[in-house]
Amino acid sequence: DASGKCTVGLPDEGTYNITVRRDGYMDAADPARLAHSELVQAIYGKTVKVFAELVRGAALRGAVYVEDGRVAPGSVVRLQQAALDWSGPVRGVSPARLQARVDADGSYVFPLVPPGQYGMWITPPAKLVTESLAQSARGEWTGYGTVVWHSSVEEIRRITPVSIAPGEDARGYNVVLRKTRVYPFAGTLRNSTGEPLKRATFSIRMAGEGPAALLEPHSADPRNGDFDIPALPEGSYELLVYRDEAPFGLPYAVPFNPSLVPETRAGAGQPQRRRQVFEIPPWSTVSGNIALTRLHPDALEHQTGSLSSERGMQLWHMAYDQPATAAVILTPVAAPGT
């Protein structure tokens, strides 16, 4: 109703998933979700109260050009939260609705964006990257880069972060792609016995506190484990190798710097690639069980040691007998490769 209240009659006791949704809005507690959703336990004769807060989404639009004034259709623009926690295997992974493709007119649009601060990354199409490559007399390569996020790109620095208010229709975030120093890079994935790692998926991201994954997950050649990156901007990276569910699975991370990898001979008309062999150890399996308990107020006292009766122990171990879902997250605690 006008006060934001509603009453829903439930047909029976049990666990229900309550969802609150409105077009153009998202969950204030978790703006990545387009609706507020939570599990509630319905008991006969009792009223369950749910409090949901929605926030109005925003829009963002602009254009992508190259330095000679042409538009760059086919480029991919990504928005990623500027305050995102960069740790973990999914560092910097954006929802699909925060990725937009530049159309034939050079324009992109994000029709529904959670309000907040973002970084913006632009991936030119592979053909544009390849055609931009040029080698100087000293053997240095320049080009647009497989992904244009680099400290030397002035336009990118100026638009990071992007700040968007609730309900705002932000326009004019136009980007000009300029050439930077790049490294044609190639690699080979092998297992611990030296054999090609087949059916492997990999991604690349900036090392340290930089922006997120620079390359969408790609598959290595299933015949020999080789992969090829036409132009990698200068910097330190991590190669993320996935067994499955890229980029949401847990990857094996290997640090590398393309400028430190020796060049190899290339065929006629082909740029010299810097090639590195990456040895990937076998994956292990971790399994176990999860027990959920209902925390009674007396049980909380027992947890602090102030309740020692047998009744307190019974309360502490009382099983939570309703369906529930739990998530288990593994996070590497040692340096990559150790």
Side-chain angles (χ1 to χ4, degrees), residues 6-7 70 90 97 142 150 225 243 248 288-289:
C6 72
T7 301
R70 294 176 297 155
V90 295
R97 59 191 173 85
T142 57
H150 194 266
R243 185 172 67 174
F248 299 101
N289 297 316

Side-chain angles (χ1 to χ4, degrees), residues 51-77:
F51 298 91
E53 183 180 357
L54 304 179
V55 61
R56 188 177 180 185
L60 177 70
R61 62 194 74 209
V64 179
Y65 302 89
V66 293
E67 51 194 340
D68 61 5
R70 294 176 297 155
V71 296
S75 300
V76 176
V77 182

Side-chain angles (χ1 to χ4, degrees), residues 14-19 36-42 48 50 320 323-325:
T15 303
Y16 292 83
N17 183 34
I18 305 297
T19 301
H36 173 84
S37 182
E38 64 178 272
L39 291 176
V40 298
Q41 182 65 34
V48 179
V50 175
Y320 186 81
T325 301

Side-chain angles (χ1 to χ4, degrees), residues 225-251:
D226 290 349
F227 64 88
D228 188 34
I229 304 173
L232 194 61
E234 189 173 16
S236 296
Y237 297 87
E238 286 181 322
L239 179 75
L240 307 179
V241 181
Y242 301 86
R243 185 172 67 174
D244 50 18
E245 299 182 4
F248 299 101
L250 189 66

Side-chain angles (χ1 to χ4, degrees), residues 1-54:
D1 59 21
S3 65
K5 297 180 179 180
C6 72
T7 301
V8 179
L10 302 177
D12 199 357
E13 292 186 328
T15 303
Y16 292 83
N17 183 34
I18 305 297
T19 301
V20 183
R21 179 186 293 107
R22 182 179 179 182
D23 290 343
Y25 286 73
M26 53 207 65
D27 187 9
D30 185 2
R33 299 179 180 272
L34 295 179
H36 173 84
S37 182
E38 64 178 272
L39 291 176
V40 298
Q41 182 65 34
I43 302 176
Y44 181 75
K46 294 186 178 181
T47 300
V48 179
K49 293 185 178 180
V50 175
F51 298 91
E53 183 180 357
L54 304 179

Side-chain angles (χ1 to χ4, degrees), residues 20-218:
V20 183
R21 179 186 293 107
R22 182 179 179 182
D23 290 343
Y25 286 73
M26 53 207 65
D27 187 9
D30 185 2
R33 299 179 180 272
L34 295 179
H36 173 84
S37 182
E38 64 178 272
L39 291 176
V40 298
Q41 182 65 34
I43 302 176
Y44 181 75
K46 294 186 178 181
T47 300
V48 179
K49 293 185 178 180
V50 175
F51 298 91
E53 183 180 357
L54 304 179
V55 61
R56 188 177 180 185
L60 177 70
R61 62 194 74 209
V64 179
Y65 302 89
V66 293
E67 51 194 340
D68 61 5
R70 294 176 297 155
V71 296
S75 300
V76 176
V77 182
R78 292 178 181 84
L79 291 181
Q80 292 165 328
Q81 292 180 345
L84 189 66
D85 179 7
W86 298 113
S87 63
V90 295
R91 185 178 76 170
V93 175
S94 296
R97 59 191 173 85
L98 294 187
Q99 300 182 23
R101 186 171 296 274
V102 176
D103 61 21
D105 296 327
S107 301
Y108 68 88
V109 59
F110 295 93
L112 186 61
V113 180
Q117 286 192 324
Y118 294 87
M120 181 183 292
W121 288 266
I122 297 89
T123 307
K127 182 179 179 181
L128 181 61
V129 172
T130 303
E131 292 175 348
S132 71
L133 292 177
Q135 189 176 26
S136 68
R138 295 184 299 175
E140 297 179 347
W141 288 90
T142 57
Y144 291 130
T146 303
V147 172
V148 181
W149 161 258
H150 194 266
S151 59
S152 66
V153 183
E154 181 66 25
E155 285 74 13
I156 301 297
R157 286 209 303 268
R158 287 205 300 264
I159 65 173
T160 304
V162 178
S163 184
I164 307 175
E168 181 181 4
D169 187 1
R171 299 170 180 263
Y173 280 93
N174 300 332
V175 182
V176 178
L177 305 181
R178 301 189 186 279
K179 294 182 179 180
T180 63
R181 185 174 180 178
V182 295
Y183 296 87
F185 186 81
T188 300
L189 301 180
R190 295 180 180 173
N191 59 25
S192 55
T193 63
E195 298 176 351
L197 191 63
K198 300 179 180 179
R199 296 184 297 277
T201 306
F202 72 92
S203 183
I204 291 179
R205 71 182 178 194
M206 290 289 289
E209 296 297 323
L214 294 187
L215 286 181
E216 289 296 302
H218 284 65

